[in-house]
Amino acid sequence: MSPAELLDRWIEAFNAADADALAALYHDDAVNHQVANAPVEGRAAIHAMFAAEFAAAEMVCIPVNRMADGEWAAMEWQDPKGFRGCGFFHVVDGRIRHQRGYWDRLSFERLYASSD
């Protein structure tokens, strides 16, 4: 699977709040580092992270800009509440080896703390 195709599947699984489908896109020893948080290492831990996040908040990823080059895919995204960020995906052998995301944790907490 190319990085662009993988990004399409990632967005689809994320918007379906499907932690199983998301985890399947990562290598067993992958790292997901959302820079506002500590890195999460390993497919099982990444699955647990997504499951916990989907249980805590309804999240939607609307791609604004997308690109792919070589082993990399990247996107700028937003959600319906106006929260924005970007993500970088290093894809090796059709799976994510490393993901890094940048977003403002304080803005996230302000937008979603009132959702409780």
Side-chain angles (χ1 to χ4, degrees), residues 22-100:
L22 280 167
L25 299 173
Y26 292 81
H27 281 275
D28 288 338
D29 61 349
V31 174
N32 182 317
H33 187 192
Q34 300 305 303
V35 174
N37 300 322
V40 177
E41 298 183 27
R43 182 187 293 159
I46 291 168
H47 179 276
M49 174 196 71
F50 280 122
E53 289 176 349
F54 292 140
E58 184 177 333
M59 297 181 291
V60 176
C61 174
I62 302 167
V64 175
N65 291 303
R66 300 161 39 144
M67 58 211 75
D69 184 37
E71 293 183 332
W72 288 88
M75 73 170 156
E76 177 186 11
W77 53 264
Q78 67 182 39
D79 77 356
K81 292 185 177 185
F83 184 60
R84 300 178 71 89
C86 60
F88 300 87
F89 301 78
H90 184 205
V91 178
V92 177
D93 297 328
R95 292 185 192 254
I96 300 165
R97 169 75 58 208
H98 190 98
Q99 177 184 351
R100 186 173 295 115

